[in-house]
Amino acid sequence: MSDESTNRKVKDSVFVDLFGKDKTAPENFLSLYNALHGTNLKIEETELVPEMIDSVMYMTYANDVAMRVNGRIVVLIEHQSTVNENMPLRLLDYVTRIYDRIIPGRDKFKRKMIKIPLPEFFVLYNGTEDVPAVSEKRLSDAFEREDGDNTPPALELVVKIYNINAGKGDDLLQKCSVLKQYTELIDLLRYSKQRAEDENRAEPFTWAVREAAKRGILSEYLERKAAEVINMFSMEYDYDADIAVQRDEAMQLGLQRGLASSIKNLVRNLKMSVTQAMDALGIPQEARPQYTALLKQI
């Protein structure tokens, strides 16, 4: 693996590698496609063209897996461990960028209709929240409407969501062995992380990958790419942690700005001094310089 791919400027995941980039990705993707569609396409009879949008900087948005199937269908598959209500909007952005890439710009101005690949949108969810086995999200749910306005939307995008956790996604998992083994690897990783926290042990990713190989889970893949998989897991979980920290920091800043506004209102409306307002709101002495600085910004 190159230095660039280990410096956290590039965010990749095991799921993306398995179904979109590894040398076995075409077979893995087709197995998943067949499981989702109830078909039995053969790899030697099927044309698959990757249509992923690469991320070039850490924490920039890119789609997970997209393939053109026999030139007629563009299938976009996202893997999520948290519930995201904005997936239809994100997938609209992704498929638009894919169409821009595969359709020559001048062709859009021709008088004759251009045939474009049919898009399909899937999310595979394996987080810990209680999510239905199969559900849908629609772009139209996000449209601002007047109460009682039931006019059919002029634009729609439907995302089918599959919960691939054991006990929820068993039907799909039984149809796609690679996906089933991937979820088993994730389960081992979760167990290993919990064990590491409980027992103050390091290297949960290494243990999970080694244990999976022992159990015959993705054995050929892990034999070739164990070190890369450990690194991808490490980057992936660092990314998730960074997002969580940023979310918490943003929330904290919002609360602080709200309190600073309260200080300002007390000063303006009740003619208090800043010190009196801080006293009234119970702001500790050590935090007051921070609020003084915030008051200058609002």
Side-chain angles (χ1 to χ4, degrees):
M1 181 175 279
S2 68
D3 291 340
E4 181 183 20
S5 60
T6 59
N7 67 5
R8 293 181 69 236
K9 286 186 178 180
V10 176
K11 176 190 177 290
D12 214 335
S13 74
V14 175
F15 180 87
V16 171
D17 193 51
L18 264 176
F19 293 96
K21 296 186 177 181
D22 186 65
K23 69 178 185 179
T24 62
E27 290 85 356
N28 296 341
F29 176 87
L30 191 59
S31 174
L32 179 54
Y33 178 93
N34 283 330
L36 289 167
H37 292 81
T39 53
N40 190 32
L41 298 181
K42 307 296 185 184
I43 190 66
E44 62 273 12
E45 301 170 357
T46 307
E47 180 189 23
L48 296 176
V49 179
E51 294 292 357
M52 274 83 83
I53 304 164
D54 290 331
S55 171
V56 295
M57 291 298 291
Y58 177 63
M59 286 177 60
T60 58
Y61 290 113
N63 68 318
D64 282 348
V65 176
M67 290 274 188
R68 237 186 312 164
V69 182
N70 289 332
R72 297 182 295 103
I73 301 173
V74 173
V75 181
L76 287 87
I77 301 175
E78 294 291 299
H79 171 260
Q80 295 283 302
S81 57
T82 56
V83 176
N84 189 322
E85 298 290 337
N86 295 308
M87 283 311 302
L89 185 59
R90 282 175 55 181
L91 284 162
L92 175 65
D93 177 46
Y94 298 155
V95 76
T96 300
R97 291 160 67 184
I98 290 171
Y99 282 150
D100 278 344
R101 187 169 62 194
I102 66 178
I103 302 169
R106 290 186 178 183
D107 286 2
K108 299 172 188 176
F109 297 93
K110 293 180 178 179
R111 295 179 63 184
K112 186 177 180 180
M113 179 183 291
I114 305 167
K115 294 294 185 178
I116 62 177
L118 173 73
E120 295 183 345
F121 307 97
F122 299 96
V123 167
L124 304 182
Y125 170 82
N126 76 330
T128 57
E129 296 181 54
D130 186 18
V131 171
V134 183
S135 58
E136 287 184 350
K137 290 192 183 299
R138 294 173 175 268
L139 182 65
S140 59
D141 293 337
F143 294 157
E144 294 187 3
R145 292 171 176 261
E146 297 289 341
D147 290 342
D149 181 2
N150 296 317
T151 306
L155 177 65
E156 186 60 283
L157 186 152
V158 182
V159 184
K160 198 158 189 177
I161 303 166
Y162 288 88
N163 187 334
I164 59 172
N165 284 295
K168 291 280 190 175
D170 293 348
D171 183 58
L172 186 63
L173 297 179
Q174 291 303 318
K175 295 176 181 176
C176 181
S177 174
V178 178
L179 185 64
K180 182 176 185 292
Q181 292 179 67
Y182 170 76
T183 61
E184 291 171 346
L185 174 60
I186 296 301
D187 286 342
L188 282 173
L189 178 59
R190 286 177 179 159
Y191 168 77
S192 181
K193 280 179 63 65
Q194 183 62 50
R195 190 186 70 169
E197 292 170 3
D198 292 343
E199 302 177 9
N200 196 28
R201 293 188 180 186
E203 303 299 333
F205 310 112
T206 301
W207 182 90
V209 168
R210 288 176 178 171
E211 186 66 19
K214 287 180 185 177
R215 299 186 188 187
I217 298 170
L218 297 175
S219 53
E220 188 276 334
Y221 175 73
L222 293 179
E223 183 179 350
R224 288 188 291 110
K225 306 182 82 166
E228 292 179 60
V229 169
I230 292 168
N231 188 60
M232 282 189 282
F233 273 142
S234 178
M235 286 192 294
E236 194 172 357
Y237 277 78
D238 282 351
Y239 174 87
D240 290 340
D242 286 349
I243 292 295
V245 168
Q246 291 173 23
R247 188 183 298 117
D248 290 343
E249 289 177 347
M251 183 179 296
Q252 184 63 29
L253 180 59
L255 292 172
Q256 290 169 348
R257 287 185 178 276
L259 201 51
S261 295
S262 297
I263 296 170
K264 193 171 184 177
N265 289 336
L266 289 175
V267 170
R268 182 177 59 241
N269 298 329
L270 298 183
K271 309 303 180 186
M272 290 183 177
S273 68
V274 170
T275 298
Q276 290 171 328
M278 289 188 182
D279 287 341
L281 293 169
I283 297 175
Q285 290 293 332
E286 62 271 17
R288 294 191 178 193
Q290 183 178 4
Y291 283 97
T292 301
L294 277 175
L295 285 170
K296 296 175 182 179
Q297 301 175 19
I298 61 176

